[in-house]
Amino acid sequence: MLPGLKAGFALDARLEADSEQLMWLGLCELRLMNDRRWPWLVLVPQRPGIEELHDMTPLDQAMLTFETNMVAQALKKVTGCTKINTGALGNIVRQLHVHVIARSEGDPGWPGPVWGHGMREPYQRPELHRFAETIKAAL
């Protein structure tokens, strides 16, 4: 079994298609959304069948909060952004996952939400790799 992989856990196909794996944290797999318009990370708790924060054990809730804060601080440090947007919506992808997005005044869609704004602009592989390595180093 791969490190961090929990028995019975499977990543939602849409998350897998739209993002790239960066690393395993403690509870979560950290992924990078493949849209270069925004520095956008996603934490996916490695627990099968979890759709809501309140479905998690109190210990897992605390760990998710810790990991989300750690990722948000690293993303803000790396990007120098104006604001970090953090959210767990789950209206389309029901599997619990937490978005951590670096936003700055003047970015595409500012100050509105990133969802539904224009067409996704995938990273070029070298650019994705550089950003991924910068985030990993900051963590």
Side-chain angles (χ1 to χ4, degrees):
M1 190 176 300
L2 294 173
L5 190 61
K6 304 300 178 197
F9 177 82
L11 182 64
D12 183 278
R14 290 163 291 200
L15 287 174
E16 190 166 4
D18 292 344
S19 63
E20 299 284 331
Q21 181 186 39
L22 291 187
M23 63 190 300
W24 298 97
L25 301 172
L27 172 68
C28 297
E29 177 183 353
L30 181 61
R31 300 185 67 85
L32 169 62
M33 286 297 283
N34 192 4
D35 188 342
R36 60 187 291 279
R37 297 175 297 165
W38 300 281
W40 183 346
L41 303 173
V42 179
L43 293 96
V44 184
Q46 302 295 287
R47 298 291 188 259
I50 299 294
E51 293 184 359
E52 308 287 352
L53 288 168
H54 61 261
D55 293 337
M56 300 175 77
T57 66
L59 181 58
D60 281 353
Q61 290 173 12
M63 192 64 175
L64 178 58
T65 299
F66 173 78
E67 290 178 5
T68 300
N69 289 340
M70 181 176 67
V71 166
Q73 288 171 348
L75 187 59
K76 187 152 190 169
K77 177 182 174 187
V78 163
T79 65
C81 65
T82 305
K83 182 77 175 88
I84 292 288
N85 290 175
T86 305
L89 304 175
N91 295 341
I92 296 172
V93 175
R94 299 298 296 258
Q95 180 176 51
L96 181 61
H97 60 288
V98 178
H99 298 270
V100 180
I101 309 162
R103 300 296 306 274
S104 293
E105 292 180 35
D107 75 22
W110 179 269
V114 297
W115 290 276
H117 181 84
M119 296 295 295
R120 180 170 69 112
E121 296 177 17
Y123 284 96
Q124 298 295 318
R125 294 309 292 178
E127 183 183 19
L128 187 141
H129 181 74
R130 275 192 305 276
F131 184 65
E133 292 305 312
T134 302
I135 290 295
K136 288 179 191 178
L139 289 169

